[in-house]
Amino acid sequence: MDTKTNPEYVAGNGLIHRRHLLGLGLAGIGSMAAGSVFAADAGMLSIPAWSKTPGNGPSEYGAPSPFAADVKRLAGGPSATAPGSGVSRTPLHLLRGTITPNSLHFERHHSGVPAIDPAQHRFVIHGLVRQALSFSYEDLLAYPMVSQIYFLECSGNSGANTVATAGDTNAAAIHGLLSCAEWTGVRLSTLLAEAGVTDAAAWITATGADAASMGRSIPLSKALDDVMIALYQNGEPIRPEQGYPMRLFVPGWEGNVSVKWLTQIKVADAPAHFRDETSKYTDLLPDGKSLQFTYPMGVKSVITSPSGQMKLLRQGIHEITGVAWTGHGAIRRVEISADGGRTWADAHIEAGQQHLALARFRLPWQWSGAPAILQSRATDSSNNVQPGRDSWMAAYNPANRYHYNAIQSWSVSAQGDVKNVYA
Ligand SMILES: Nc1nc2c(c(=O)[nH]1)N[C@H]1C(S)=C(S)[C@@H](COP(=O)(O)O)O[C@H]1N2
Ligand SMILES: [Mo]
């Protein structure tokens, strides 16, 4: 079968079986007879100016092409009331892999980025331990380390879509408090074993060296499982914005518990009830009560292309692509709909480490020029299925903005304009 003229449609409104991802190219089906949309002639082999003279030599620290200068974080303005507080968001719609470059990792600071001299910094473990310990940065560098790829998501991510009217914004503005990096560091269990936690220990409470003194409580079972003191981010020393010289990294859990600029861990028998686990990051329920802790991030996905404020410039084949993640294991399935959830097709998921990491999904779609509503729905290895917006909203108080993981809907108009909608 010639799949270029007879693709296998697997769901409504032009979704094509994922097995055709590589074979289809870009041409509109039916318009193939005239040849490729990219037909070349001899004149196109002429030599451009930049090939005729040597370019710049090597540099000490690389920078993106000036032609890619729009691939930037979406940063908010300075806070008038809380100096240094704020966020910048990863431009998810401008990235195509699963790893976030360090310069584009999202930021969330409660009192700005402290200028820490690693030679002066101390990290102390105390509380319910047989021997309190104090480490310098150099001390920690001498310990055995692990490297793992993990996503990090703020529990406030996507909260924009909990408000009554869908904002006409892009994927970064809605979902950009999400990044994924390879984190390298010392397992907390190694250091806790050295300190010797006592029988009464059930929690750890971690504090940062920023002016906010941000602190969070974490059950000891998680602390001994996969939590690390991260020292490297995608291979280089962790960036100041991400916690230099060291941060706690708590895989799969809401970003807030990954305390940056880590300076203290106190082993305790109960949570500390820090400001950031009482006044914030608690989910408000319909009856006005709040959940005390919501640690793992829910199963979630978002189509990053096409996505909000993009424009489809031609009919024919487009690759629908995006990212999926879960705090409950690995992504097992991502389904895509082009007809607002009436019919669904399985997307292709890239192989690679998917446990608590971003997964990249793709599916070919033939856009006929008719209006469409694009959605993705993820399922994880614990059989959690990403909820629709209505069911998520029904589970919480209308004022709750945290832990929103509902299905994102992007409408495509007949003119090709892509918009954030509630469907
Ligand atoms: N010490 C300290 N740790 C912190 C924060 C902070 O302001 N101070 N922000 C938290 C929040 S709310 C999130 S979502 C993550 C953000 O990490 P990032 O800035 O590296 O993306 O760090 C957490 N750790
Ligand atoms: Mo956060």
Side-chain angles (χ1 to χ4, degrees):
M1 182 175 79
D2 181 356
T3 56
K4 289 197 170 172
T5 50
N6 292 301
E8 192 180 333
Y9 293 103
V10 281
N13 222 357
L15 291 178
I16 297 169
H17 196 287
R18 61 182 188 242
R19 80 166 62 97
H20 300 309
L21 263 175
L22 297 177
L24 276 168
L26 278 182
I29 285 149
S31 64
M32 282 304 296
S36 168
V37 285
F38 295 127
D41 61 47
M44 293 172 179
L45 294 174
S46 67
I47 295 171
W50 52 72
S51 298
K52 293 179 179 168
T53 125
N56 291 336
S59 62
E60 285 188 311
Y61 200 88
S65 162
F67 296 100
D70 61 338
V71 184
K72 290 190 297 202
R73 288 192 286 231
L74 183 64
S79 164
T81 48
S85 174
V87 297
S88 69
R89 296 161 200 269
T90 295
L92 297 173
H93 56 300
L94 303 177
L95 302 177
R96 279 284 176 132
T98 56
I99 297 291
T100 310
N102 290 342
S103 299
L104 300 176
H105 197 284
F106 85 91
E107 299 166 84
R108 171 69 179 111
H109 316 309
H110 290 70
S111 285
V113 180
I116 297 179
D117 171 0
Q120 311 289 321
H121 180 78
R122 300 303 297 182
F123 165 52
V124 175
I125 297 181
H126 65 124
L128 298 177
V129 291
R130 276 188 286 281
Q131 166 78 66
L133 301 174
S134 169
F135 303 90
S136 71
Y137 179 57
E138 287 293 324
D139 291 339
L140 283 184
L141 290 178
Y143 276 83
M145 297 192 199
V146 290
S147 299
Q148 289 288 311
I149 297 170
Y150 292 126
F151 77 82
L152 185 71
E153 183 184 21
C154 177
S155 45
N157 195 31
S158 318
N161 275 355
T162 64
V163 304
T165 312
D168 181 8
T169 49
N170 66 19
I174 305 168
H175 305 292
L177 297 177
L178 168 74
S179 299
C180 184
E182 185 205 55
W183 301 95
T184 295
V186 181
R187 282 192 181 283
L188 181 55
S189 58
T190 307
L191 304 180
L192 288 178
E194 227 167 78
V197 297
T198 66
D199 289 345
W203 290 76
I204 64 157
T205 66
T207 342
D210 49 340
S213 248
M214 218 214 70
R216 284 298 306 257
S217 308
I218 296 163
L220 186 64
S221 54
K222 177 70 172 175
L224 293 174
D225 179 14
D226 56 2
V227 173
M228 68 163 96
I229 316 294
L231 300 159
Y232 294 88
Q233 172 185 358
N234 291 326
E236 66 177 353
I238 197 166
R239 291 285 177 92
E241 295 86 343
Q242 267 66 61
Y244 185 84
M246 60 189 68
R247 88 179 298 167
L248 197 66
F249 199 94
V250 186
W253 286 21
E254 61 176 355
N256 188 258
V257 295
S258 284
V259 173
K260 301 190 280 190
W261 314 296
L262 182 68
T263 188
Q264 253 197 56
I265 284 181
K266 183 175 181 185
V267 181
D269 58 358
H273 304 297
F274 289 114
R275 181 186 59 240
D276 282 279
E277 55 198 16
T278 50
S279 76
K280 291 194 181 79
Y281 307 112
T282 51
D283 296 333
L284 195 56
L285 299 177
D287 64 3
K289 291 185 179 163
S290 285
L291 295 176
Q292 188 172 21
F293 297 117
T294 302
Y295 287 131
M297 296 305 288
V299 62
K300 192 162 165 184
S301 67
V302 57
I303 294 170
T304 52
S305 182
S307 63
Q309 298 185 330
M310 287 184 176
K311 190 174 175 76
L312 301 185
L313 297 174
R314 48 165 185 80
Q315 295 176 21
I317 305 295
H318 292 264
E319 181 180 270
I320 296 177
T321 185
V323 286
W325 65 101
T326 174
H328 299 275
I331 291 297
R332 282 286 175 265
R333 184 180 194 194
V334 179
E335 299 158 281
I336 295 192
S337 175
D339 55 15
R342 284 184 38 244
T343 59
W344 297 87
D346 279 306
H348 171 73
I349 302 174
E350 284 292 323
Q353 185 209 312
Q354 285 164 8
H355 176 72
L356 304 179
L358 288 193
R360 168 66 55 177
F361 64 83
R362 306 186 153 94
L363 194 70
W365 174 49
Q366 185 187 21
W367 184 48
S368 65
I373 292 185
L374 303 178
Q375 298 176 320
S376 61
R377 177 171 68 191
T379 304
D380 70 20
S381 53
S382 308
N383 290 320
N384 300 299
V385 181
Q386 189 178 4
R389 187 174 181 279
D390 288 347
S391 63
W392 190 93
M393 293 299 293
Y396 297 98
N397 190 288
N400 184 40
R401 301 280 174 265
Y402 295 120
H403 301 102
Y404 182 83
N405 70 326
I407 290 170
Q408 166 70 51
S409 305
W410 304 117
S411 71
V412 182
S413 74
Q415 291 71 40
D417 294 300
V418 187
K419 244 180 114 158
N420 177 34
V421 292
Y422 297 159

